[in-house]
């Protein structure tokens, strides 16, 4: 989302695009890494730690064994890494085969730590419980969001892997056209009522000043639309909310019913696209990029790289800061999970080696080591000019720098390069302000990872029927009364009551409450 100064003007744009690709795996808050660096030098007194790793790769071909960035990471972490890079398209199949074989690499990326295969092996004692050891590795605590450690606990309240960190503020939420707000003399909405009036103005008051009523309010896919507004109306992320000491299933709450009435009103008044049910992600974004929609639901970081380039071709006056993320609605914004998969260590690894693996990751999370995959090597991928790393983006991409984010992904903001120009600087300042406000309001999804055997059987079909009925109600094919009948019948099912009971038991066990 940002860039360093390359050769001042033209190269700044090239570098910005490259850095966006390389940092796409996540940016956010992390630790300084001083303790880990010191520990890493202590580890250097021993021989290199030989570690086998299996993880995903977005690249074809992936980083080779003699890759220069890999070699530098090995040098800094006193390790010898044997990495099996598996295409993301087939990773889960390969992972299941590997888990079943019992020949599990020392560090294995588990894309879904709540999947049946991994849970079963954990119960059989196949993976290390690292909970007692985390406190001994400062950067595992500081470099990975607390929410990630909490949400990756299994039902026994223990961590069986190191979360691969993501920025917990990096969530999809409502983004508005600030230039349209200014054109119409409107303020960013803070409530759903205010949002309705803004979206109505975006449709009826000709915000693009072309003399036609050819714009509308919000462009987003049907699943995103219903889930985000269900969360906003309930004030809870995900589908479970703690009320009076118990978790309730939010799709069946009165607030969800209210969200459906609200969305039905938006659709009836044509504040949503007419082809709402069939929209794909590219079409959703095209409405905004094509100067037709005044709002989308997306991540803040998509502004400069996804939306601005195309929109600027139509509206030359459009600025990066016109991609304006709302801090909250009705006092709510979801909090991200803070992770994307975990790094698990099998029990076939002796305890002494397991501790060294934890130290390896702890050291990797320091700024000294993480900067290698962010910027590369001095003299090869960048030069240092007046304290600024001036990167050769083509060389960095050619050497698969971003591949290593699929093992350890640092989210240390100190590694983010400065904005390339004043326009991006303004956008970054707004983003930081929004992040600061979101911290005051954000709510984690407490249902992540909670296990219920009955839910595994009941919820997939139930959730499909919920989604279908929600869509039909929003576009007017079914009355709201159909929702009331559906909810009443579903709540009366003894199996649903059992799901709620098991989810509550899992939550109490994990949280100790």
């Amino acid at each position: 989302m940002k860039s360093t100064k390359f050769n001042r003007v033209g190269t700044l744009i090239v570098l910005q695009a490259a850095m966006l690709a390389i940092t796409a795996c996540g940016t956010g808050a992390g630790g300084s890494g001083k303790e880990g660096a010191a520990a890493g030098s202590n580890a250097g007194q021993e021989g290199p730690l030989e570690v086998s790793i299996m993880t995903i790769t977005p690249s074809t071909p992936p980083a080779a064994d003699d890759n220069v960035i890999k070699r530098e990471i090995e040098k800094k972490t006193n390790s010898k890494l044997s990495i099996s890079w598996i295409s993301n398209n087939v990773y889960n199949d390969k992972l299941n085969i590997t888990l079943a074989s019992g020949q599990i690499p020392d560090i294995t990326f588990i894309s879904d730590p709540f999947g049946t295969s991994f849970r079963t092996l954990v119960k059989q004692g196949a993976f290390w419980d690292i909970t007692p050891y985390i406190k001994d590795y400062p950067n595992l605590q500081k470099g990975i969001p607390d929410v990630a450690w909490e949400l990756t606990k299994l039902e026994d309240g223990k961590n069986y892997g190191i979360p691969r960190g993501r920025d917990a503020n990096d969530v999809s939420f409502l983004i508005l056209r600030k230039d349209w707000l200014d054109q119409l003399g409107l303020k960013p909405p803070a409530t759903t009522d205010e949002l309705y009036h803004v979206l109505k103005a975006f449709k009826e008051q000709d915000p693009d000043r072309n003399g036609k009523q050819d714009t509308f309010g919000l462009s987003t896919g049907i699943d995103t639309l219903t889930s985000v507004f269900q969360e906003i109306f309930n004030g809870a992320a995900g589908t479970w909310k703690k009320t009076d000491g118990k978790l309730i299933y939010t799709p069946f709450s009165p607030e969800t019913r209210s969200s459906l009435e609200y969305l039905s009103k938006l659709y009836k008044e044509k504040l949503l696209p007419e082809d709402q049910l069939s929209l794909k992600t590219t079409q959703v974004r095209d409405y905004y990029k094509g100067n037709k929609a005044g709002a989308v639901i997306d991540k803040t970081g998509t502004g400069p790289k996804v939306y601005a380039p195309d929109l600027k071709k139509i509206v030359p006056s459009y600025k990066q800061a016109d991609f304006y993320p709302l801090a909250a609605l009705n006092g709510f914004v979801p909090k991200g999970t803070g992770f994307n998969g975990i790094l698990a260590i099998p029990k076939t690894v002796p305890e002494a080696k397991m501790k060294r693996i934890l130290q390896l990751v702890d050291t990797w999370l320091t700024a000294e080591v993480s900067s290698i995959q962010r910027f590369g090597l001095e003299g090869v991928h960048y030069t240092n000019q007046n304290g600024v790393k001036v990167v050769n983006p083509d060389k960095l991409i050619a050497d698969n720098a971003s591949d290593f984010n699929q093992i350890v992904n640092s989210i240390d903001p100190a590694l983010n390069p400065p904005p390339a120009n004043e326009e991006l600087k303004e956008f970054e300042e707004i983003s930081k302000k929004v992040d600061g406000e979101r911290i005051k309001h954000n709510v984690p999804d407490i249902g992540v990872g909670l296990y219920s055997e009955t839910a595994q059987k009941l919820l997939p079909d139930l959730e499909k029927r919920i989604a279908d009925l929600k869509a039909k109600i929003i576009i007017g094919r079914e009355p709201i009364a159909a929702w009331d009948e559906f909810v009443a019948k579903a709540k009366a099912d003894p199996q649903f009551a059992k799901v709620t009971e098991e989810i509550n038991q899992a939550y109490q066990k994990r949280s100790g409450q």
Side-chain angles (χ1 to χ4, degrees):
M1 290 165 248
K2 312 168 188 80
S3 177
T4 57
K5 294 188 176 180
F6 194 1
N7 266 340
R8 297 297 167 214
V9 184
T11 46
L12 284 173
I13 299 172
V14 176
L15 177 56
Q16 178 192 343
M19 293 308 296
L20 285 169
I22 292 165
T23 60
C25 293
T27 55
S32 66
K34 293 179 181 178
E35 299 90 339
S41 61
N42 291 333
Q45 297 172 5
E46 306 176 69
L49 175 66
E50 295 189 6
V51 183
S52 58
I53 301 173
M54 186 173 86
T55 189
I56 60 174
T57 177
S59 305
T60 304
D65 188 54
D66 61 350
N67 177 278
V68 292
I69 291 174
K70 173 177 176 286
R71 294 298 190 207
E72 188 67 13
I73 291 173
E74 289 175 327
K75 177 181 175 183
K76 296 292 185 182
T77 58
N78 189 32
S79 64
K80 177 67 177 73
L81 309 178
S82 176
I83 307 171
S84 294
W85 301 101
I86 310 297
S87 169
N88 195 30
N89 296 327
V90 299
Y91 188 79
N92 286 334
D93 291 338
K94 177 65 174 176
L95 176 62
N96 286 331
I97 293 170
T98 301
L99 294 179
S101 74
Q103 302 299 311
I104 305 171
D106 301 331
I107 296 177
T108 302
F109 175 65
I110 307 295
S111 51
D112 179 8
F114 313 115
T116 302
S117 298
F118 182 67
R119 281 184 185 274
T120 300
L121 287 171
V122 165
K123 288 179 180 178
Q124 294 173 354
F127 286 93
W128 276 99
D129 165 19
I130 65 171
T131 314
Y133 305 94
I134 299 169
K135 66 182 186 304
D136 299 325
Y137 303 94
N139 293 305
L140 294 188
Q141 300 171 72
K142 294 192 297 182
I144 298 169
D146 291 341
V147 67
W149 286 109
E150 180 61 28
L151 294 182
T152 53
K153 291 177 180 176
L154 291 189
E155 55 264 33
D156 59 3
K158 298 176 181 179
N159 290 103
Y160 292 91
I162 305 167
R164 195 168 71 88
R166 298 293 292 268
D167 181 2
N169 268 324
D170 188 23
V171 295
S172 289
F173 204 61
L174 281 103
I175 312 280
L176 269 64
R177 283 279 298 268
K178 182 65 164 56
D179 54 332
W180 281 15
L181 290 173
D182 294 342
Q183 181 72 37
L184 301 176
L186 299 170
K187 295 181 180 179
T191 68
T192 45
D193 286 342
E194 292 176 4
L195 176 66
Y196 163 74
H197 291 294
V198 165
L199 298 181
K200 193 173 180 67
F202 283 172
K203 171 169 176 51
E204 298 178 351
Q205 296 183 24
D206 191 22
D208 61 350
R209 293 298 186 253
N210 69 350
K212 303 175 183 178
Q213 199 173 89
D214 58 354
T215 56
F216 65 95
L218 171 64
S219 176
T220 191
I222 186 66
D223 290 340
T224 300
L225 179 73
T226 55
S227 63
V228 168
F229 278 88
Q230 175 179 289
E231 291 182 340
I232 291 169
F233 273 75
N234 279 281
T239 56
W240 294 94
K241 175 182 179 180
K242 192 173 183 181
T243 302
D244 297 328
K246 282 192 169 186
L247 299 193
I248 64 166
Y249 189 59
T250 54
F252 292 166
S253 71
E255 290 81 5
T256 294
R257 185 186 192 278
S258 298
S259 75
L260 293 176
E261 291 181 306
Y262 179 87
L263 296 175
S264 298
K265 182 179 180 181
L266 296 189
Y267 186 82
K268 184 177 181 180
E269 297 186 15
K270 298 185 178 181
L271 309 186
L272 301 174
E274 290 189 47
D275 54 347
Q276 180 67 71
L277 296 193
S278 62
L279 282 183
K280 297 178 181 178
T281 300
T282 53
Q283 295 169 312
V284 165
R285 290 174 167 177
D286 284 346
Y287 274 129
Y288 187 96
K289 293 191 291 185
N291 204 35
K292 297 300 180 184
V296 292
I297 295 176
D298 216 326
K299 295 185 177 183
T300 302
T302 58
K305 58 184 178 179
V306 173
Y307 294 95
D310 289 336
L311 192 49
K312 280 176 173 288
K313 295 174 184 176
I314 302 172
V315 186
S317 61
Y318 180 84
K319 305 189 303 296
Q320 300 286 6
D322 288 328
F323 192 76
Y324 194 87
L326 296 184
L329 267 180
N330 295 350
F332 165 85
V333 67
K335 185 174 187 176
T337 61
F339 75 96
N340 182 6
I342 64 172
L343 305 175
I345 306 170
K347 271 293 190 72
T348 50
V349 173
E351 183 178 18
K353 183 174 181 180
M354 179 273 294
K355 289 181 179 180
R356 286 195 67 187
I357 289 173
L358 295 180
Q359 183 62 69
L360 164 69
V361 178
D362 186 86
T363 305
W364 198 327
L365 281 167
T366 65
E368 179 186 7
V369 180
S370 292
S371 65
I372 297 169
Q373 63 210 56
R374 192 75 67 91
F375 302 109
L377 282 63
E378 186 171 5
V380 178
H381 304 95
Y382 74 88
T383 57
N384 202 317
Q385 297 183 12
N386 299 320
V388 175
K389 290 183 173 68
V390 180
V391 179
N392 179 336
D394 293 334
K395 179 61 175 170
L396 200 61
I397 293 170
D399 283 338
N400 297 84
S402 65
D403 282 14
F404 298 93
N405 294 337
Q406 311 306 324
I407 304 172
V408 176
N409 183 45
S410 171
I411 54 175
D412 185 349
L415 297 180
N416 293 339
N421 52 49
E422 286 302 312
E423 189 178 323
L424 282 170
K425 182 178 180 181
E426 183 184 3
F427 173 74
E428 181 181 292
E429 289 172 352
I430 290 173
S431 299
K432 285 182 178 178
K433 181 179 178 181
V434 168
D435 281 350
E437 287 298 311
R438 284 183 174 178
I439 290 172
K440 301 175 186 177
H441 302 286
N442 63 16
V443 178
D445 182 352
I446 60 176
V448 169
L450 295 181
Y451 179 75
S452 159
E453 186 175 349
T454 309
Q456 300 296 306
K457 303 172 185 175
L458 182 71
L459 289 190
D461 178 65
L462 178 61
E463 289 174 347
K464 183 179 184 304
R465 289 188 288 131
I466 287 172
D468 290 344
L469 184 54
K470 281 182 174 181
K472 290 175 181 177
I473 289 171
I474 289 169
I475 66 170
R477 289 183 188 171
E478 290 281 0
I480 194 68
W483 179 257
D484 298 331
E485 294 171 9
F486 176 85
V487 170
K489 184 177 180 180
K491 289 174 72 174
D493 183 349
Q495 290 297 100
F496 176 73
K498 192 174 181 182
V499 168
T500 303
E501 180 184 357
E502 290 174 357
I503 289 292
N504 272 275
Q505 289 172 349
Y507 176 74
Q508 291 164 7
K509 192 172 183 180
R510 183 173 73 179
S511 63
Q513 299 180 20

